Amino acid sequence: MPKLISDILLIIIGSMIYALALTLLVIPNQLAEGGIPGASIILHYAFDWSPGIVNFVLTSVILLVGYRVLPRRTVFLSVLTAPLISFFIFISEGKAEPLGDPLVSAIFAGFIIGIGAGLIFRTGSSMGGSSIIARMFHYNLGWDLTRTNFALDSCIVLSGLLVIGPLNTMYTIVSLFVGKKSTDLIMEGLDTRKAVSVISTQASVLADEVIKEMKTSATVFKGYGGYLKEDKDMTYIIINKFQLMRLKRIINSVDDRAFVVIHDVRDVFGGSFSWPKKSKQGQVPHP
């Protein structure tokens, strides 16, 4: 129950932030947006229809048709999310004036929209839009989920060419890019992890030094160098980004000829890293 209450609070806050970004930054500055809210905004520009009411009607129809392809928890949360977004759009539409700089508006609109969407997605909810349509095509026709969702959003955004013109459509694309990065920030957090692969003849020694100096684990894999035809083991280490410089110094002190590869890790759990909290039934919450 506490988890459900916290999710509902996040949905309320996220829906309000998302909707206000649309009505205070996107609509007054003649920008667009992806998904069903974007279609509602374009219809508002074309026919002067209320974006809040149009968004509510469209998302309601989509949820009624597509509820079979969504997990029950996602359906429940989406039924809460979609009307909330529509409600906040409705009560705040027509309350703001254009800023006079569409590019700045697009950047900040994308950033704020991404925060709102990230809070909603963290609960496992959806906004009842193009993602559900993509799921229906995937479920019934086997279409790729990500590509279908991208194609639907692209069609909605590009349809704005006929209404808001090419310049503001390009500003909208900037907003969508910023929004994606902002959503990723909320979903993944600021404490990003780094996976470090070190190929060295001193792999075991390096692992011991990392464990001793950094109080973190390290895994040694047996390897073989295809170019030099020599055995070269690999040490695999996962750390947070603030430990990276210290790790580089340790690697250099052990083997200054080591080959090092560093890449970002989207999520880490298990071992010395905590697992996601489980529900009462012992299941990890649906993402």
Side-chain angles (χ1 to χ4, degrees):
M1 185 60 70
K3 177 69 168 65
L4 179 61
I5 293 173
S6 66
D7 284 346
I8 291 174
L9 288 174
L10 280 179
I11 286 173
I12 293 172
I13 295 170
S15 299
M16 182 176 64
I17 291 172
Y18 183 91
L20 290 178
L22 295 179
T23 55
L24 301 182
L25 290 172
V26 172
I27 296 175
N29 294 282
Q30 291 289 298
L31 303 173
E33 168 62 359
I36 299 304
S40 304
I41 290 171
I42 291 172
L43 290 172
H44 166 70
Y45 294 150
F47 304 107
D48 201 28
W49 294 348
S50 166
I53 295 175
V54 172
N55 189 74
F56 177 75
V57 172
L58 293 177
T59 52
S60 297
V61 171
I62 291 170
L63 281 171
L64 285 173
V65 174
Y67 75 95
R68 295 180 181 178
V69 301
L70 293 175
R72 289 185 179 180
R73 186 175 186 277
T74 302
V75 170
F76 170 75
L77 294 176
S78 299
V79 167
L80 175 64
T81 304
L84 274 174
I85 291 175
S86 302
F87 171 73
F88 286 125
I89 291 174
F90 181 75
I91 63 174
S92 60
E93 59 189 55
K95 305 293 186 183
E97 298 293 329
L99 294 181
D101 190 330
L103 179 57
V104 172
S105 302
I107 292 171
F108 278 90
F111 178 71
I112 298 170
I113 284 171
I115 292 174
L119 292 175
I120 293 169
F121 293 150
R122 279 183 73 100
T123 68
S125 177
S126 76
M127 291 185 282
S130 55
S131 60
I132 295 180
I133 300 175
R135 280 180 179 270
M136 286 191 287
F137 280 120
H138 175 72
Y139 181 78
N140 293 304
L141 302 175
W143 292 8
D144 182 81
L145 191 62
T146 302
R147 291 180 181 178
T148 305
N149 193 52
F150 175 78
L152 291 170
D153 283 346
S154 297
C155 290
I156 292 170
V157 172
L158 292 177
S159 67
L161 284 167
L162 304 174
V163 181
I164 60 176
L167 182 60
N168 281 20
T169 300
M170 288 187 282
Y171 286 143
T172 297
I173 294 171
V174 171
S175 177
L176 293 174
F177 177 80
V178 175
K180 173 63 168 60
K181 295 298 181 182
S182 181
T183 300
D184 289 344
L185 183 66
I186 296 298
M187 294 289 290
E188 299 172 10
L190 294 171
D191 187 19
T192 56
R193 307 287 178 172
K194 298 286 186 180
V196 183
S197 302
V198 186
I199 300 174
S200 168
T201 56
Q202 304 294 320
S204 298
V205 177
L206 175 60
D208 292 339
E209 283 296 310
V210 168
I211 294 169
K212 176 183 174 182
E213 297 293 332
M214 302 187 67
K215 302 297 187 292
T216 189
S217 62
T219 303
V220 177
F221 296 98
K222 294 294 182 181
Y224 179 76
Y227 182 74
L228 295 177
K229 311 299 181 185
E230 297 176 352
D231 291 333
K232 283 196 175 182
D233 297 340
M234 183 181 77
T235 309
Y236 186 75
I237 311 150
I238 295 179
I239 55 173
N240 65 51
K241 61 183 179 181
F242 304 108
Q243 296 175 301
L244 187 56
M245 291 305 298
R246 185 180 180 190
L247 177 60
K248 287 181 178 180
R249 288 194 291 268
I250 293 174
I251 295 171
N252 187 64
S253 67
V254 173
D255 184 3
D256 59 2
R257 297 175 63 86
F259 181 75
V260 183
V261 179
I262 302 169
H263 50 93
D264 293 327
V265 176
R266 295 186 64 86
D267 202 1
V268 180
F269 53 86
S272 58
F273 300 95
S274 61
W275 278 77
K277 292 182 179 179
K278 294 184 179 181
S279 64
K280 290 182 178 179
Q281 290 77 21
Q283 300 295 321
V284 177
H286 188 275

